[in-house]
């Protein structure tokens, strides 16, 4: 029993979970408002990481920036730019692929979403590369605070603790993700546009009658969701220093699982689900079952849905039929 | 069951066959070497340099009385090698009567689908890259060629994984002096096979395998959790069975991130993909700190007679450095061209000539001959280590696992 | 393309309407004997259509430009492989097209069927069960898997179902991959035994004809049975569930059982395809059954025309041939045609350097999006859809009649 | 009007339905007597539709229950979590045993067999849970699990219904819509359909005859092959009723069946309801918000306002009730 390793793994899980949660928020928001599983969302995240790559190469950034003011500016530029671009991409996708199908049978937009996902992947694949591509990591990846947890013994049970390293880049990602989530909550809860979003989600027609511009509201939802996915893309590039055209499918799949696990349509649930999935993954690796982790994640998803069809925090009742 | 359509089809087939007959011509006979490799999507970097090696061999080794061209088949579907497409391709090549021999396939599971067909048709295949032992050896090998058990129709110039895994264990235990190792594989045929052999052989040498985990196709970007768990077990060596595309470079890069950068790292020829300057190569992805202390083996002889000439010829023609399997593709084609010159373009004659164990073929890989299973008798593995001066892999010794002779690089 | 034309003309001649053929038959002279006649005729027309298509398709090799693509055996072999996807698409059509359930893990059942054959007839297990009973076993095992997945999840709403099936589709290959001891892991199970049927002769490895005829027969029988199901109480229940699940439940339809049956029947068809695929290829390995198969088959169903059994069959055939032959031939054509590089401003397009195979997913994606936006009924819409479009015109007229009546 | 001695067909007892803090229906009792038309009326937002959905089995009441023909059909669920546990319990027990045996070092072959047995049990229980045979339902009752009947169970028990906003199967023909309504009466199995047995063919032909008869009865002559969505509005309403009749109900629930109709259409519709009652002897529970519409044909009227029952009785009694007038016309209207 090594408390240090468990803490380290929990910290690893928080980092991965932060990224899943950011992506999951977009899924859950879009689902909440137009009841569409936006399959292209994972690929929006992937494109975000490539936008970061493009930006960094345009600025000629080669590696870690050690000068704090410059680093801060660079980070702000990276996030602002990528989030804006991806937000716009999301709006464009909504405008051309989903809006014409808003009153079509449910299956139709779902299938276009899959189509959009294919298109985004293939464009990146032929434009950049089939192989993993390096992205410079602007935050020195090995820099971090190393902490020695206290060691103690309970009766005959010795709890040891190897030192735990909290990498700055990971701390940054976790803090950023949490602040974005809080900002989103405030936006949805406290602003006029946020209210419009909520009312549209509850009853689109009623909201329309009350003077809410549905098209703008839905576009806004896509903008915010895609911008968050873009932020996750930047975080990914910062964390791993690499990206690939097909990371979107897998990350998207897990994030959607996170959204469903937490209760789709519920933003807190999405965040919770993201962290939960990351913990499951990390601790199956810790136990030496990396090769099974995917199967474990999806089995848990199926089990949760069997026992709680609305997800962990879901409130909306599933149709009984 | 349905007699009428059957009879009808039979007639159709006869008509079609009658129309398909060709007329004879004067001059050099046109023959083809079939090539079946993954040539699109993510696997283009594997197939493309290999087929270029074949083209170069045909250019440089003309055979009097024949004009040799290539019948090119791509076994990738949606960018990933696909056994079903491979089976279709070999069928096409069998159907093309001007094809007298085939180079390929690249991937083991494609070979599993193709071997029964080429064996049944008696069309010789030479794989430049298959290293899975089960394709030729033991009962699985025999099962694959059960329609003509005595007529080997599949040979390969790459040394099998069981030898390369031994070499990996040799590097870890002898060269790096590690007594404990952590093994990671990518759960794919090549990677897992190699990692399993490494684990067995490392234990045989006296080392301890402290852990063995695998990372499936959907987790190959994040190894931190796995490495944190591995780090706690204090391994003196980390061995990776897999290729760069399935996480080789990333694993090494993240080892540095979690503070395992000083631990030596080793892998097979799946991470032999060029210098640190080559985009997406192992050394490029792993980063400068990850490169240090990295070892790699290649399942081929290093001291080939004309290595420099081959490389410069290749570069002159294509403008790029040869790939990991360019020379192997070249060697396969060379063997076929020698057979063509000797026994003509009859498929059975070529097959018989190539697989006769007594025949020795001088190739760019040195002298190659095939054993009773169709495996190359060359069991030489070359060892490489990262060299900071050239930012590239540097050969330091090769070992012949048949004779046990080790040749060290000239200083 | 001539093969397409020949099939569609075969449909055109047959008095087959989707689903309601039998109803319509009963309505003309409303006698039971007439109903029986058309009921029989409809099933027969599937058999006849398949027989005609099977006989005509190999002739494609005589027609330029196809004659330049390869020998007749190559074509027949390709058709036999395409048959696997036709079966898959026809099965998925029941789930997606008729019952309106989005199943994104369909390849899992395909894998299960294929592995079932691998256990039944390979040196790995030591068993050598003949191919024909294995077809039934494979279908049954896949149906069981469909029930296992469907029973707990089919009470979920449609979108949840999509994600659960997608997850299941990911779990199954992972299990086959990692349960080394039972599945031979990543190497898969190879050297499976070939089918044998005295009437057709030795299947062997390189003669594609027996496989071609076998798969055509399997497709014909499967399509005939699915046709009959579609035109029955169960078929109507599927459509009702697709149209309005709540209303269907309020008409006494047990929606869960109905959906479960759609799931199981779709899965069993997939299992059939798996058994045939494994026997033809002689190999099963986990990497063959990834999500790309599920998504490709979905694209086939959508492109062919959801709900129209002939449409999806043709859609699957066409998509498969484009994927395995068309793009390759396009590459050869463009490379040999010597189209000069095009310069538009600073953009240089050199078509002869483009590998069209690299754009498969882009094409799928554009096709899916375009299809949904422009022609959601698919390339080969069913009669019902045509009727819908047609009825828009005279609906207005009938409105007025009614006001007066 | 003759007095009914027979027990009520449908009885709702102390029904309450709350959505979070909002109580939509509060403590409502009412009953439908055999052969009668009972109307449930009230102004907009009175909770009629909520009550109706509870009665039709679409949502569970917070409190109270609904009895149909003396059997409790709808109430809030009890111990619902127990059911999924039942599904995995047998398999779970076998696997626990397997795990124990594994720890004890028993041969692997036995363990593998047990794992498969567990898997088989899991499949079996899940299938049982879907099919719900009688013994399974009894077992649930013994365990104290109560779940409201699903809508389809309600139909099987004999409750047919229509919807306020028409919910036809838009892309199916009128005839097919009615055939779907007959689903529960048809007995041919999928296997019969696959084999085209004589039984299945006879049943199909007979059901088509019956369906056409029902369409005619509802006033839809020669419309059999029209797609439902192409029918004019009034005909869609009629088709819904024909479809509901096809379920062979013992009670018909009609949710605002004349909404959006002009007076003459409404009058025709009312005539149809009277005929259904007299010719088919079928009790009807009618929801309306237009009080005048129902007065002519109802035997009994229940008036809701703000989720509470404010009046009940014959049309004349209700018409005279001050609270009803107040609810409809506002305070001080008297």
């Amino acid at each position: 029993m090594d408390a240090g390793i468990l803490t380290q793994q929990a910290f690893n899980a928080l980092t991965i979970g932060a990224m899943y949660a950011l992506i999951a928020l977009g899924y859950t928001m879009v689902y909440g408002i137009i009841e569409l599983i936006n399959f292209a969302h994972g690929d929006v995240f992937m494109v975000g990481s490539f936008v970061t790559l493009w930006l960094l190469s345009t600025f000629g950034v080669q590696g870690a920036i050690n000068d704090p003011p410059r680093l801060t500016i660079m980070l702000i530029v990276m996030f602002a730019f990528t989030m804006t671009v991806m937000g716009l991409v999301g709006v464009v996708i909504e405008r051309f692929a989903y809006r014409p199908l808003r009153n079509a049978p449910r299956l139709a937009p779902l299938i276009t979403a899959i189509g959009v996902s294919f298109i985004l992947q293939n464009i990146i694949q032929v434009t950049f590369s089939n192989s993993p591509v390096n992205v410079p990591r602007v935050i020195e990846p090995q820099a971090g605070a190393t902490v020695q947890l206290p060691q103690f013994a309970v009766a005959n049970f010795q709890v040891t603790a190897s030192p735990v390293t909290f990498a700055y880049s990971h701390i940054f990602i976790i803090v950023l993700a949490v602040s974005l989530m809080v900002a989103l909550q405030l936006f949805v809860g406290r602003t006029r546009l946020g209210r419009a979003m909520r009312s549209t989600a509850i009853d689109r027609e009623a909201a329309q009658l009350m003077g809410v511009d549905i098209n703008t509201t839905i576009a806004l939802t896509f903008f915010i969701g895609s911008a968050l996915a873009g932020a996750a893309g930047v975080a990914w590039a910062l964390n791993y220093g690499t990206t690939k055209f097909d990371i979107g499918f897998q990350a998207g799949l897990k994030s959607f699982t996170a959204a469903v696990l937490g209760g789709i349509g519920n933003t807190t649930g999405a965040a919770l689900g993201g962290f939960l999935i990351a913990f499951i993954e990390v601790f199956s690796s810790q136990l030496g079952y990396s090769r099974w982790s995917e199967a474990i994640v999806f089995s848990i998803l199926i089990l949760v849905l069997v026992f709680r069809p609305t997800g962990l925090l879901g409130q909306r009742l599933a149709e009984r039929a | 069951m349905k007699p009428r359509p059957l009879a009808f089809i039979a007639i159709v087939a006869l008509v079609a066959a009658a129309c398909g007959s060709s007329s004879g011509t004067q001059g050099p006979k046109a023959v083809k070497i079939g090539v079946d490799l993954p040539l699109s999507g993510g696997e283009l970097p594997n197939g493309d340099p290999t087929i270029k090696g074949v083209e170069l061999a045909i250019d440089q080794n003309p055979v009097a009385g024949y004009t040799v061209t290539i019948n090119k088949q791509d076994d990738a579907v949606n960018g990933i090698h696909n056994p079903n497409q491979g089976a279709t391709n070999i069928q096409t090549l069998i159907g093309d009567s001007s094809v007298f021999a085939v180079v390929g396939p690249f991937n083991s599971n494609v070979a599993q689908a193709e071997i029964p067909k080429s064996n049944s048709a008696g069309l010789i295949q030479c794989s430049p890259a298959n290293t899975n032992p089960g394709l030729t050896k033991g009962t699985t090998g025999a099962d694959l060629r059960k329609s003509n058990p005595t007529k080997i129709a599949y040979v390969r110039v790459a040394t099998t994984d069981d030898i390369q895994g031994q070499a990996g264990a040799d590097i870890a235990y002898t060269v790096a002096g590690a007594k404990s190792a952590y093994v990671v594989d990518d759960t794919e045929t090549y990677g897992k096979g190699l990692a399993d052999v490494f684990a067995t052989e490392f234990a045989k040498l006296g080392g301890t395998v402290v852990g063995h985990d695998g990372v499936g196709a959907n987790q190959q970007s994040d190894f931190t959790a796995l490495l944190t768990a591995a780090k706690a077990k204090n391994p003196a060596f980390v061995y990776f069975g897999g290729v760069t595309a399935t996480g080789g470079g990333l694993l090494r890069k993240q080892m540095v991130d979690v503070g395992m950068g000083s631990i030596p790292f080793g892998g097979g020829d799946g991470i032999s993909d060029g210098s640190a300057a080559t985009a997406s190569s192992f050394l490029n992805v792993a980063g400068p700190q990850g490169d240090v202390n990295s070892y790699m083996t290649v399942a081929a002889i290093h001291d080939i007679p004309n290595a420099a000439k081959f490389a410069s010829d290749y570069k002159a023609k294509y403008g790029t450095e040869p790939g990991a399997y360019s020379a192997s593709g070249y060697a396969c084609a060379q063997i076929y061209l020698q057979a063509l010159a000797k026994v003509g373009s009859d498929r059975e004659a070529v097959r018989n000539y190539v697989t006769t164990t007594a025949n020795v073929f001088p190739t760019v890989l040195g002298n190659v001959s095939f054993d009773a299973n169709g495996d190359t008798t060359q069991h030489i593995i070359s060892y490489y280590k990262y060299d900071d001066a050239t930012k590239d892999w540097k050969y330091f010794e090769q070992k012949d696992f048949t004779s046990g002779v080790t040749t060290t690089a000239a200083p | 393309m001539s093969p397409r034309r020949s099939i569609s003309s075969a449909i055109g001649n047959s008095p087959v309407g989707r689903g309601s053929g039998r109803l319509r038959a009963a309505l003309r002279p409303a006698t039971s004997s007439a109903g029986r006649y058309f009921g029989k005729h409809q099933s027969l027309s599937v058999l006849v259509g398949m027989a005609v298509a099977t006989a005509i398709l190999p002739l494609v090799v005589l027609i330029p430009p196809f004659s330049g693509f390869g020998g007749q055996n190559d074509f027949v072999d390709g058709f036999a492989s395409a048959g696997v996807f036709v079966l898959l698409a026809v099965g998925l059509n029941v789930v997606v097209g008729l019952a309106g359930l989005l199943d994104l893990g369909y390849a899992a059942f395909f894998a299960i069927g294929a592995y079932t054959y691998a256990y039944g007839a390979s040196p790995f297990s030591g068993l050598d069960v003949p191919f024909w009973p294995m077809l039934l076993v494979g279908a049954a095992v896949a149906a069981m898997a469909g029930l296992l997945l469907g029973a707990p999840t089919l009470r979920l709403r449609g979108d949840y179902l999509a994600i659960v099936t997608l997850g299941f589709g990911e779990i199954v290959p992972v299990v086959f991959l990692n349960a080394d001891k039972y599945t031979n892991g990543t190497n898969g199970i190879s050297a499976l035994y070939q089918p044998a049927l005295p009437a057709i002769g030795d299947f062997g490895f390189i003669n594609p004809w027996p496989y071609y005829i076998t798969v055509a027969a399997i497709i014909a029988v499967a399509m005939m049975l699915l046709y009959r199901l579609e035109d029955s109480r169960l078929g109507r229940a599927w459509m009702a569930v697709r149209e309005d699940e709540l209303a269907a439940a309020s008409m006494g339809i047990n929606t869960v059982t109905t959906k479960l049956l759609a799931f199981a029947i779709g899965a069993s068809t997939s299992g059939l395809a798996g058994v045939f695929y494994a026997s033809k290829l002689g190999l099963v390995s986990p990497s063959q059954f990834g999500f790309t198969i599920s998504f490709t088959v979905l694209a086939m169903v959508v492109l062919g025309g959801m709900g129209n059994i002939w449409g999806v069959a043709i859609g699957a055939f066409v998509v498969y041939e484009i994927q395995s032959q068309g793009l390759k031939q396009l590459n050869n054509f463009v490379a040999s045609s010597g189209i000069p590089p095009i310069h538009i401003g600073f953009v240089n397009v050199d078509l002869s350097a483009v590998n069209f195979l690299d754009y498969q997913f882009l094409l799928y994606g554009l096709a899916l999006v375009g299809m949904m936006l422009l022609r959601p009924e698919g390339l080969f819409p069913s009669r019902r859809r045509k009727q819908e479009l047609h009825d828009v015109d005279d609906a207005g007229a009938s409105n007025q009649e009614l006001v007066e009546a | 009007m003759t007095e009914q001695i027979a027990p009520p067909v449908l009885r709702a007892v102390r029904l309450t339905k709350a959505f979070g803090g909002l109580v939509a229906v509060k403590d409502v009792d009412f009953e439908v007597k055999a052969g009668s038309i009972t109307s449930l009326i009230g102004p907009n937002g009175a909770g009629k539709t909520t009550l109706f959905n509870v009665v039709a089995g679409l949502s569970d009441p917070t409190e109270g229950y609904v009895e149909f023909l003396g059997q409790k059909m709808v109430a809030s669920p009890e111990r619902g979590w127990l059911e999924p546990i039942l599904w995995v319990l047998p398999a779970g027990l076998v696997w626990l045993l397997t795990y124990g045996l594994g720890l004890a070092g028993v041969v692997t072959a036995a363990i593998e067999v047990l794992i498969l047995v567990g898997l088989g049990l899991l499949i079996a229980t899940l299938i049982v849970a879907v099919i719900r045979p009688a013994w399974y339902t009894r077992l649930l009752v013994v365990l104290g699990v109560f779940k409201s009947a699903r809508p389809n169970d309600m139909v099987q028990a004999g409750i047919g219904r229509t919807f306020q906003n028409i919910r036809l199967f838009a892309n199916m023909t009128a005839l097919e819509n009615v055939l779907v309504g007959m689903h529960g009466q048809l007995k041919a199995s999928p296997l019969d359909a696959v084999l085209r047995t004589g039984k299945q063919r006879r049943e199909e032909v007979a059901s088509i005859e019956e369906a056409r008869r029902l369409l005619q009865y509802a006033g839809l002559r020669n419309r059999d092959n029209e797609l439902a969505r192409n029918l004019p509005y009034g005909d869609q309403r009629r088709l819904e009723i024909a479809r509901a009749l096809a379920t062979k109900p013992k009670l018909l629930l009609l949710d605002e069946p004349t909404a959006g109709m002009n007076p003459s259409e409404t009058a025709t519709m009312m005539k149809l309801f009277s005929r259904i009652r007299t010719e088919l002897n079928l009790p009807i529970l009618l929801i309306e918000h237009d009080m005048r519409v129902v007065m002519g044909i109802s035997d009994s009227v229940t008036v809701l306002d703000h989720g509470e029952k404010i009046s009940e009785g014959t049309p004349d009694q209700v018409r005279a009730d001050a609270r009803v007038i107040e609810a409809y016309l506002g305070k001080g209207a008297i």
Side-chain angles (χ1 to χ4, degrees), chain B residues 20-397:
Chain B
S21 62
S22 58
S23 53
T25 46
Q26 297 292 317
K29 192 175 176 196
V31 294
K32 288 179 189 160
I33 292 180
V35 177
D36 175 62
L37 294 168
L39 294 168
S40 58
E43 309 210 23
L44 187 66
N46 294 335
D48 190 53
T50 315
I51 194 169
K52 283 178 174 156
V54 177
E55 283 168 1
L56 186 65
I58 294 174
D59 272 11
Q60 294 187 335
N61 303 281
V63 180
Y66 295 94
T67 53
V68 183
T69 51
I70 285 179
N71 183 339
K72 181 169 90 171
Q73 300 288 333
D74 178 1
D75 64 35
V77 174
N78 297 324
I80 301 162
H81 62 269
N82 182 309
N84 191 36
Q85 187 65 40
T88 304
N89 292 346
I90 199 78
Q91 190 91 37
T92 307
L93 294 173
I94 291 168
D96 182 348
S97 55
S98 57
V99 169
F100 71 97
V102 175
V103 177
F106 197 90
N107 303 87
S108 293
N109 66 353
V110 180
Q112 284 175 319
E114 291 184 355
I115 292 171
K117 287 176 181 274
S118 58
N119 176 260
S120 182
L123 176 62
I124 183 82
Q125 277 188 284
C126 170
S127 169
N130 287 160
T131 52
N132 188 291
L135 296 176
T136 50
K137 299 180 187 182
T139 52
T140 51
D143 286 334
L144 285 174
R145 49 175 186 262
K146 62 174 180 260
S147 35
N148 282 315
T150 53
K151 291 185 176 175
I152 301 291
Y154 169 89
V155 296
R156 51 179 159 188
V157 294
T159 309
T160 47
D161 290 337
D162 47 351
I163 315 263
Q164 205 186 155
Q166 273 185 47
D170 185 46
I171 284 192
Y173 194 83
T174 320
V175 179
K179 300 288 175 276
S180 64
Y182 194 90
V183 186
V184 183
D185 70 63
D186 64 359
T187 72
E188 291 184 16
T189 313
Y190 162 78
K192 178 134 194 317
L194 198 58
D196 287 347
V197 177
F198 173 89
T200 321
E201 295 295 329
F202 188 70
K204 261 190 213 161
L205 289 174
T208 316
V209 177
V210 294
H212 185 164
D213 205 349
V215 187
N218 289 358
Q219 281 102 29
Q220 283 157 358
S221 39
D222 187 355
F223 296 89
T224 42
L226 181 146
L227 287 170
T228 306
K231 191 184 174 191
K233 296 181 171 165
N234 288 319
F237 194 88
V238 173
Y239 189 80
F240 175 69
V243 301
T244 307
T246 58
L250 276 175
L251 176 69
R252 184 59 179 158
K253 183 183 208 159
Q254 292 176 16
M255 276 177 71
V256 178
D257 294 354
V258 303
M260 296 171 80
S262 58
I263 299 175
F265 176 90
D269 49 1
I271 60 170
S272 148
D273 44 15
S275 73
T278 312
S280 303
S281 68
F282 171 83
L283 294 178
N284 180 269
V285 176
Q289 288 161 286
D291 296 341
V292 181
N293 270 326
S294 290
Y295 295 87
M296 182 267 290
T297 53
V298 167
I301 183 168
H302 177 268
D303 291 338
I304 52 177
N306 295 312
K309 182 176 179 304
F310 172 74
S312 67
D313 287 353
Y314 186 96
K315 195 162 185 181
K317 187 165 159 85
Y318 300 108
T320 55
E321 296 292 334
Y325 292 97
S326 297
S328 306
Y330 190 99
C332 279
Q334 266 186 312
I335 292 167
Y336 288 156
L337 295 166
Q338 287 166 26
L340 182 65
K342 198 88 175 176
V343 298
S345 65
D346 179 60
R347 282 183 183 176
E348 175 54 23
V350 171
R351 188 205 64 75
N352 189 41
Y353 184 76
V354 171
T355 54
T356 302
T357 50
N359 290 340
V360 177
F361 304 92
T363 70
V364 69
L365 297 177
N367 288 338
V368 173
S369 64
F370 299 106
D371 67 15
N373 289 327
D375 286 330
T376 176
T377 50
Q378 260 192 8
H379 291 162
I380 301 173
I381 307 281
S382 315
Y383 294 6
Y384 293 78
K385 187 176 195 293
Y386 174 73
D387 175 45
D388 208 30
T390 57
K391 306 272 182 226
D392 198 355
W393 295 111
K394 187 175 185 214
Y395 164 77
F396 63 92
E397 67 180 41

Side-chain angles (χ1 to χ4, degrees), chain A residues 223-240:
Chain A
F223 184 88
I224 296 175
S226 306
L228 290 174
V234 184
W236 180 279
L238 268 183
N239 185 19
Y240 298 122

Side-chain angles (χ1 to χ4, degrees), chain C residues 70-343:
Chain C
Q72 192 174 34
N73 275 4
D74 304 351
F75 271 98
V76 171
D77 185 60
F79 294 155
S81 299
V84 172
F85 281 84
V86 171
L87 261 181
L88 285 172
V90 166
L92 187 63
N93 178 48
V94 172
V95 185
V96 178
L98 295 184
L101 308 165
L102 188 58
D103 181 351
L104 296 177
Y106 195 56
F109 306 116
F110 184 43
I112 287 167
Y115 267 87
T116 306
Y117 185 72
Y119 288 127
S122 73
F124 178 77
S125 65
L127 294 176
D128 186 4
V129 185
F131 172 75
W132 304 97
M134 279 313 289
L135 264 183
L136 297 182
V137 175
V141 172
M144 280 300 192
L147 291 178
L148 177 66
L149 173 66
T153 54
L154 277 172
R155 49 188 69 224
L156 301 172
R157 314 160 42 126
D159 319 279
Y160 284 71
L161 182 69
I163 208 72
V164 168
T165 50
L166 186 54
F168 184 70
E170 296 285 301
I171 293 176
V172 166
V174 170
V175 171
F176 283 133
L177 178 65
N178 290 325
D180 294 42
K181 196 177 153 197
Y182 308 102
T183 61
N184 205 23
T186 175
N187 288 330
I189 301 172
S190 59
L192 310 184
Y193 299 127
Q194 309 300 307
L197 188 72
I200 303 183
D202 181 21
F203 278 67
F205 290 100
I206 50 175
N207 178 10
W209 287 91
Y211 292 101
Y212 176 63
I213 291 164
T214 304
V215 79
I218 297 174
I219 292 171
V221 171
M223 273 172 67
M224 186 185 76
L225 299 186
L226 292 178
Y227 239 138
R228 288 178 164 187
L229 277 180
E230 190 186 323
D231 184 25
S232 75
R233 172 174 173 253
L234 181 62
R236 285 194 299 271
W238 283 336
M239 281 182 253
V241 167
R242 180 192 65 195
E243 293 283 323
D244 187 336
E245 198 171 330
L246 179 63
S250 302
M251 291 304 117
I253 293 172
N254 185 340
T255 51
V256 176
T257 334
T258 304
K259 292 195 281 185
L260 200 58
L261 271 173
F263 226 63
I265 286 166
S268 68
T269 315
S270 186
L272 277 183
V275 171
F276 176 77
Y277 175 83
S279 76
K280 178 169 184 292
L281 192 59
L283 163 73
V284 291
S285 61
S287 62
Q288 289 163 265
F289 305 103
F291 68 94
T292 44
I293 298 267
S294 303
F295 282 52
T296 307
V297 177
L298 180 69
M300 289 166 171
V301 171
V302 171
L303 296 183
M306 272 186 280
N308 176 12
I309 212 166
W310 275 108
V312 297
I314 298 166
F317 183 80
V318 170
V319 171
Y320 181 84
E321 289 299 329
I322 288 176
Q323 175 185 279
S324 82
Q325 279 289 332
L327 294 174
K328 198 193 291 179
Q329 299 301 345
L330 187 63
N331 273 345
N332 294 346
F333 172 75
V334 173
S336 63
S337 66
I339 297 173
I342 308 161
H343 303 278

Side-chain angles (χ1 to χ4, degrees), chain A residues 39-202:
Chain A
F39 266 101
H41 191 66
D43 297 286
V44 169
F45 149 77
M46 176 273 295
V47 176
S49 68
F50 277 90
V51 169
T52 310
L53 169 65
W54 178 82
L55 185 76
L56 290 173
S57 62
T58 311
F59 278 95
V61 178
Q62 298 287 328
I65 301 171
N66 293 318
D67 175 26
R70 274 192 59 218
L71 175 63
T72 315
I73 292 168
M74 195 65 225
L75 285 174
I76 291 172
V77 170
M78 276 163 73
F79 277 96
F81 181 77
T82 309
M83 287 173 73
T84 315
V85 169
M86 292 330 295
L88 292 176
V89 167
V91 171
V92 169
I93 293 174
E94 193 274 330
R95 176 66 190 82
F96 290 104
Y98 304 150
R99 189 179 299 178
L101 295 171
R102 209 172 280 161
N103 296 316
R106 301 275 296 265
L107 213 53
L110 214 53
I111 290 167
T112 36
I114 294 170
V116 171
S117 155
F118 284 178
I119 293 172
L120 290 179
Q121 270 194 40
N122 207 284
I123 288 175
I124 294 294
Q125 184 182 2
V126 295
T127 324
F128 285 87
S129 164
N130 296 308
S131 317
V133 184
N134 275 350
V135 188
R137 293 193 275 193
V138 293
I139 303 179
E140 179 62 48
Q142 282 100 47
T146 302
V147 176
Q148 176 65 54
L149 296 180
Q151 311 205 17
F152 56 91
V154 182
N156 288 331
F157 193 64
Q158 179 67 38
V159 176
T160 56
S162 32
V164 185
T165 306
F166 297 99
Y168 294 140
S169 56
H170 290 200
I171 295 175
F172 173 75
I173 288 168
I174 296 168
V175 170
L176 178 98
V178 172
S179 5
L180 282 175
M181 285 178 231
V182 172
L184 177 73
Q185 287 290 3
L186 291 178
F187 176 81
V188 173
R190 302 276 172 84
T191 64
R192 196 176 59 80
L193 286 170
R195 268 198 303 280
M197 280 167 61
R198 275 184 299 154
S199 58
T200 311
I202 292 165

Side-chain angles (χ1 to χ4, degrees), chain A residues 253-270:
Chain A
L253 188 53
K254 286 195 191 124
S255 305
F256 188 77
T257 307
V260 172
L261 206 56
I264 196 149
N266 181 319
T267 43
T268 321

Side-chain angles (χ1 to χ4, degrees), chain D residues 41-75:
Chain D
I41 66 168
N44 276 328
K48 299 184 302 279
T49 300
T50 308
L51 183 61
F52 201 78
N53 282 341
V54 170
V55 173
L58 287 188
S59 64
D60 290 334
T62 320
E63 255 161 73
Y65 59 92
V66 178
E67 267 184 15
F68 180 66
L69 299 176
Q71 185 146 27
K72 187 162 120 179
M73 300 293 282
V74 172

